[in-house]
């Protein structure tokens, strides 16, 4: 029979929730959450939902743009060559160094066919892209996936604070007997605690 999640919680991480975290470029917010969730023993993958990876450049309207196939190491070396001091002082080289320790390169959500229990997005624009992508796909197994938006500004401090909220939600959901039944309660409790509101929808694979 189907193992209940209360039995599971006691033996975590033998059956941890399968979690994805998605931001635009798979660079800052999703990678900070990836780092924190992985340390806690969750099965986690991170993605970007944009068409390309965009990093802050010399001016606000002139981002540095890379393809998703570019490794974090290649980006770091390229930016060191371009202007080591600028990218050191704005924290980008630090972020790329952290990312290299987690995985080789950014991944684009639209190119992943793996199934997850929960997908967290880091902004409403990303949430909309993820939900749209799941809706247009051919449904095969009708396995539900919960998409939850935890809004966070794209800077180091907010990425860490937002990632801790995602981690706490994952821990609560992991302990629940039934993900479907508990999710709304867990989100309501988190909204009361944080003063944030979380967009949530169910899609199917």
């Amino acid at each position: 029979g189907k193992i209940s999640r209360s039995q599971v919680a006691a033996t975590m991480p033998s059956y941890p929730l399968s979690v994805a975290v998605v931001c635009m470029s798979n660079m800052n917010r999703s990678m900070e959450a990836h780092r924190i969730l992985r340390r806690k023993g969750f099965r986690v993958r991170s993605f970007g939902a944009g068409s390309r990876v965009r990093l802050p450049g010399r001016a606000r309207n002139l981002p540095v743009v890379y393809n998703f196939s570019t490794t974090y190491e290649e980006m770091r070396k390229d930016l060191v060559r371009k202007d080591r001091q600028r990218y050191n002082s704005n924290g980008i080289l630090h972020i790329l160094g952290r990312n290299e320790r987690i995985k080789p390169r950014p991944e684009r959500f639209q190119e992943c066919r793996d199934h997850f229990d929960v997908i967290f997005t880091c902004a409403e624009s990303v949430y909309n892209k993820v939900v749209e992508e799941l809706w247009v796909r051919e449904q095969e197994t009708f396995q539900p996936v919960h998409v939850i938006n935890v809004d966070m500004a794209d800077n180091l401090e907010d990425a860490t604070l937002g990632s801790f909220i995602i981690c706490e939600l994952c821990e609560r959901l992991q302990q629940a007997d039934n993900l479907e039944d508990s999710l709304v309660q867990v989100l309501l409790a988190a909204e009361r605690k944080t003063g944030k509101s979380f967009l949530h929808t169910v899609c199917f694979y």
Side-chain angles (χ1 to χ4, degrees):
K2 193 162 175 281
I3 185 165
S4 84
R5 284 181 189 260
S6 57
Q7 290 167 274
V8 165
T11 57
M12 176 164 173
S14 64
Y15 178 68
L17 278 177
S18 176
V19 180
V21 189
V22 190
C23 64
M24 258 326 181
S25 290
N26 198 195
M27 188 56 59
N28 176 33
R29 296 168 288 185
S30 61
M31 287 301 279
E32 176 67 355
H34 191 149
R35 182 183 73 82
I36 289 170
L37 290 172
R38 190 174 73 162
R39 212 172 55 199
K40 293 278 191 176
F42 287 97
R43 282 202 341 243
V44 58
R45 289 185 63 191
S46 57
F47 301 93
S51 53
R52 291 214 163 88
V53 174
R54 293 172 195 278
L55 299 177
R58 292 173 179 274
R60 186 174 280 270
N61 58 345
L62 287 173
V64 184
V65 179
Y66 297 102
N67 287 325
F68 271 90
S69 56
T70 314
T71 68
Y72 294 122
E73 183 182 14
E74 286 164 347
M75 291 179 203
R76 182 172 52 77
K77 287 179 174 170
D78 184 47
L79 294 179
V80 164
R81 218 170 26 242
K82 283 181 171 143
D83 190 339
R84 178 191 287 267
Q85 193 174 355
R86 169 185 293 275
Y87 296 109
N88 206 26
S89 62
N90 71 4
I92 298 294
L93 295 182
H94 162 78
I95 285 173
L96 286 166
R98 173 205 59 198
N99 294 357
E100 282 175 58
R101 291 190 289 275
I102 294 171
K103 64 181 188 180
R105 63 175 182 84
E107 295 171 89
R108 195 162 175 262
F109 177 75
Q110 291 85 338
E111 287 160 18
C112 173
R113 287 295 178 265
D114 291 355
H115 292 187
F116 301 96
D117 297 316
V118 189
I119 299 171
F120 289 98
T121 58
C122 302
E124 192 168 340
S125 56
V126 179
Y127 175 87
N128 292 336
K129 281 179 182 289
V130 166
V131 170
E132 186 184 348
E133 170 64 22
L134 292 169
W135 273 108
V136 298
R137 288 184 187 180
E138 193 88 17
Q139 288 183 355
E140 292 163 358
T141 63
F142 297 96
Q143 173 196 336
V145 54
H146 295 272
V147 186
I148 300 167
N149 186 57
V150 178
D151 252 324
M152 49 184 108
D154 195 1
N155 60 57
L156 287 173
E157 189 182 353
D158 283 309
T160 301
L161 293 171
S163 296
F164 279 125
I165 292 173
I166 288 175
C167 188
E168 192 167 321
L169 288 170
C170 285
E171 286 173 336
R172 292 274 145 78
L173 294 173
Q174 180 71 60
Q175 289 155 7
D177 285 341
N178 182 312
L179 182 65
E180 315 297 315
D181 297 346
S182 311
L183 190 68
V184 173
Q185 261 55 53
V186 166
L187 288 178
L188 282 173
E191 288 181 351
R192 280 196 298 272
K193 182 177 172 182
T194 61
K196 288 174 173 272
S197 62
F198 306 110
L199 288 170
H200 164 238
T201 193
V202 184
C203 297
F204 295 89
Y205 285 116

